[in-house]
Amino acid sequence: MNDAHDIEVLLRSRIPVIVIETHEEKRAVEMFIPLALRMAKPVFVWSITQGLKRVDIDMPPQKHNIDPDIVIGHIKSSSVPAIYLLLDFHPYLNDPKLVRQLREVAQAREESGDTVVLISHDIDIPPELQKYCAYFSLSMPDEKVLRKLVVEEARAWSAKNHGRKVRTDEESMEMLVRNLAGLTLVDARRLARSAICNDGAISKNDIAEVMQAKYKLFDRDGVLSFEYDVAHFANVGGLRKLRHWLEQRKSVFTSARNISGLERPKGIMLLGVQGCGKSLAARAVAGMWGIPLLRLDFGSLYNKYIGETEKNLRQSLKTARVMAPCVLWIDEIEKGLSSEEGDSGTSRRILGTLLTWMSEENEGVFIVATANDIESLPPELIRKGRLDEIFFVDLPDAGTRATVFAVHLKKRNQDVEKFELDKLAQQADKFSGSEIEQAVVSAMYAAHAAKAALNTQHILDELGNTRPLAVVMAEKIQQLREWAAGRTVSAD
C-alpha cells in the first residue's frame, strides 16, 4: 500500500476534511510535506502548544494563531489555498461554535481550495461534519519490512556487543516477524529490540513476552483478557473427537503461508452440560496450537450509553485481528446475544456487528464460542458457514471420569497409585468434571480436619454426600441432550 499516493488522491479529489486516527503523528505529518511540492500548496501544522506553523519550508510558528477558534478563523479568511494539519483537535469538536466554523470551512472548499486534516489517536466526528469527511488509515508494515526491521535491530545489537552475532533459527525468526504484524514501525522496532537485548537471541521463548507486550498496546477498555500460558490439551479428560478434529487442522491454521486448496478454520461452538469442561477445552485449543488466548467478556462489553457497547465490541474484534494468530474465546455467548425487552436493540446490533466481522477476512483468529443454552441463540449465528462445527460436551464416561480424578489428584501432589480410580469413577456416575474436582477438594479438607492422609474413602464419602447437577436438573439436561442428538458432533 502506498500511503503517499492514496492521500494525494484524496487531496486531489477536493475532499474538505480528512480524518486520520493514528498514534504515529510524526509519520502522518511527514507524509504531507513532499505533497506540498507536487501540488504547489503550503502545508501548515497546528497544535495547542505551538500554534500554527508552516512545515514545507522552515518558518517560525505563529503564536497568535494558537487558540482553536482563532486558527479556524484564520483558515476561513486565508486567500491562499493550503493544507492544514490540526493535531489533537478532537477535544474541541464538542464546541458547537468550532463545529459550525469547521462546517463553513468545508462548505467553502470549492472556492478556497483548503483541506483540513484532523490527526489524533481517537476522533469522534460530529454528525454535522460527517458528510464532508473522508477517513484514512496509515498502512501497517508488511512482512518484508518487519523482517528488515528485525535484521537492523540484530545488527545494531551486534555492533554494540563487539561483533557478537544474535543467535536464532529460521522458525523463531518467522514467528517473531509474524507476531509483530499489526504494529506500527515504532512499536514493532521497540518490541524486536527488547526481544534481542534480553539475551542476544531470538528464540521461541521470546514470543510470549512479545505477545503480552503487544496486547498491552491495544488493551484500552479491559473487555478482553489475555492469557498466553494456556492449559495444555493433555489436561483435558476425554473429548477425543474434538482433539482429533483440532489436530487435523493445526498445521493449516498455524502455517504462516496459505496451503493450496485449504481454507484456514474459522472456529467452533462448544455446547454442553455445565461443568463438563467447555471452558477448559477453549483454553486448551490455544495451548494445543501454541497461540495466545483472548477471552471476550460480554459482561464487561455492555455499556449503559447507547452506542458504546457496539464500540467496545468493534475495538475488541480489532484487537483480536491485530493479535492474530490467536484464539478468541467468547464465553457463554448466549448471554450477550439473547434479545431481551428493554435493551434498546443492543443485542441485535451486537449480533450484526459480530456477523459482519465473521464474514470478513479474519484469517488468524479462531473463534471458540461456548454456550449452555443454544436454543436461545439466533439461528444466523449457528448456521453452517459461520463456524466450522458445533461440538456437544456431555457428561464424562467412566474412563474419562477416572482420568479426571487422576488429573486433579496429581495437580494436588497426591500419589495416584494409592487411589482406586475405577471405584471412584463408578461412584461418580453422572458427575461433571468440575463436580469431580470439588469432590477431591472437599475430601482433602475432610482428611486435613481428621489429621489423616487423603485416601479413596474420603473421596467416596464426599461423592455420596453430593447430588450432581445431572440429578438435580435431570429433565433439563435430558432435554439438552435430545436437542443435541443429530444436530451436533459429540466431542468425545
Side-chain angles (χ1 to χ4, degrees), residues 98-211:
L98 285 174
V99 171
R100 179 62 201 180
Q101 286 182 311
L102 269 176
R103 187 176 183 182
E104 291 173 357
V105 169
Q107 289 172 338
R109 171 65 174 81
E110 290 298 326
E111 292 77 25
S112 69
D114 294 327
T115 301
V116 174
V117 183
L118 303 176
I119 302 175
S120 181
H121 72 288
D122 188 16
I123 307 175
D124 189 9
I125 299 297
E128 305 96 305
L129 295 177
Q130 288 283 357
K131 65 173 291 186
Y132 304 105
C133 297
Y135 291 81
F136 181 83
S137 298
L138 296 178
S139 62
M140 294 293 105
D142 58 20
E143 182 179 340
K144 182 179 179 180
V145 172
L146 290 172
R147 180 175 284 271
K148 180 182 178 183
L149 179 151
V150 174
V151 171
E152 289 173 354
E153 289 302 314
R155 289 173 177 169
W157 184 89
S158 181
K160 292 180 181 179
N161 290 271
H162 311 290
R164 287 172 54 199
K165 290 187 176 182
V166 174
R167 304 184 309 277
T168 189
D169 57 80
E170 184 56 33
E171 184 179 0
S172 298
M173 180 71 165
E174 186 173 296
M175 287 178 66
L176 176 60
V177 170
R178 186 179 182 188
N179 284 292
L180 291 176
L183 295 175
T184 64
L185 278 171
V186 173
D187 289 333
R189 187 177 295 278
R190 179 165 59 84
L191 294 189
R193 184 182 301 143
S194 176
I196 293 170
C197 290
N198 281 343
D199 53 6
I202 299 173
S203 65
K204 294 178 182 178
N205 294 331
D206 294 315
I207 306 304
E209 294 182 7
V210 168
M211 291 301 290

Side-chain angles (χ1 to χ4, degrees), residues 58-356:
D58 189 15
M59 293 186 68
Q62 304 171 15
K63 293 290 186 178
H64 60 281
N65 281 322
I66 200 167
D67 291 336
D69 56 339
I70 293 177
V71 75
I72 298 299
H74 171 82
I75 295 172
K76 286 180 63 179
S77 62
S78 177
S79 59
V80 180
I83 301 169
Y84 295 93
L85 313 180
L86 308 184
L87 309 182
D88 288 337
F89 200 79
H90 60 282
Y92 312 109
L93 295 177
N94 293 321
D95 186 334
K97 179 183 176 182
L98 285 174
V99 171
R100 179 62 201 180
Q101 286 182 311
L102 269 176
R103 187 176 183 182
E104 291 173 357
V105 169
Q107 289 172 338
R109 171 65 174 81
E110 290 298 326
E111 292 77 25
S112 69
D114 294 327
T115 301
V116 174
V117 183
L118 303 176
I119 302 175
S120 181
H121 72 288
D122 188 16
I123 307 175
D124 189 9
I125 299 297
E128 305 96 305
L129 295 177
Q130 288 283 357
K131 65 173 291 186
Y132 304 105
C133 297
Y135 291 81
F136 181 83
S137 298
L138 296 178
S139 62
M140 294 293 105
D142 58 20
E143 182 179 340
K144 182 179 179 180
V145 172
L146 290 172
R147 180 175 284 271
K148 180 182 178 183
L149 179 151
V150 174
V151 171
E152 289 173 354
E153 289 302 314
R155 289 173 177 169
W157 184 89
S158 181
K160 292 180 181 179
N161 290 271
H162 311 290
R164 287 172 54 199
K165 290 187 176 182
V166 174
R167 304 184 309 277
T168 189
D169 57 80
E170 184 56 33
E171 184 179 0
S172 298
M173 180 71 165
E174 186 173 296
M175 287 178 66
L176 176 60
V177 170
R178 186 179 182 188
N179 284 292
L180 291 176
L183 295 175
T184 64
L185 278 171
V186 173
D187 289 333
R189 187 177 295 278
R190 179 165 59 84
L191 294 189
R193 184 182 301 143
S194 176
I196 293 170
C197 290
N198 281 343
D199 53 6
I202 299 173
S203 65
K204 294 178 182 178
N205 294 331
D206 294 315
I207 306 304
E209 294 182 7
V210 168
M211 291 301 290
Q212 289 170 353
K214 180 178 177 180
Y215 168 73
K216 290 177 182 178
L217 292 172
F218 296 92
D219 182 29
R220 300 179 183 178
D221 46 32
V223 174
L224 283 177
S225 58
F226 171 84
E227 184 179 357
Y228 190 89
D229 295 322
V230 290
H232 293 291
F233 213 75
N235 291 338
V236 181
L239 308 182
R240 289 177 288 272
K241 290 181 180 178
L242 175 58
R243 276 193 288 181
H244 179 67
W245 190 94
L246 292 167
E247 287 168 355
Q248 287 184 324
R249 289 156 178 79
K250 177 182 178 179
S251 61
V252 177
F253 184 84
T254 58
S255 175
R257 296 173 178 82
N258 291 330
I259 298 177
S260 178
L262 290 175
E263 296 181 358
R264 281 194 174 94
K266 298 176 181 179
I268 57 176
M269 175 82 71
L270 296 177
L271 169 69
V273 180
Q274 290 184 359
C276 287
K278 297 187 298 297
S279 297
L280 180 59
R283 291 188 177 94
V285 174
M288 181 179 180
W289 284 359
I291 56 178
L293 173 71
L294 298 177
R295 180 181 178 184
L296 179 57
D297 181 0
F298 266 133
S300 300
L301 184 70
Y302 276 74
N303 192 292
K304 64 180 179 180
Y305 299 109
I306 294 175
E308 284 297 303
T309 300
E310 300 94 291
K311 184 178 179 180
N312 288 342
L313 177 59
R314 287 193 297 270
Q315 179 59 43
S316 298
L317 296 177
K318 180 180 178 181
T319 299
R321 183 179 292 171
V322 172
M323 291 294 294
C326 67
V327 171
L328 177 61
W329 171 24
I330 308 178
D331 193 21
E332 295 186 327
I333 190 172
E334 72 271 25
K335 291 186 177 180
L337 297 180
S338 299
S339 180
E340 297 180 3
E341 293 183 7
D343 74 349
S344 302
T346 301
S347 296
R348 297 304 302 177
R349 293 195 298 272
I350 284 289
L351 175 62
T353 300
L354 182 60
L355 293 181
T356 299

Side-chain angles (χ1 to χ4, degrees), residues 385-399:
R386 298 293 188 192
L387 298 171
D388 298 308
E389 196 58 83
I390 300 175
F391 286 94
F392 182 70
V393 184
D394 205 346
L395 292 168
D397 59 21

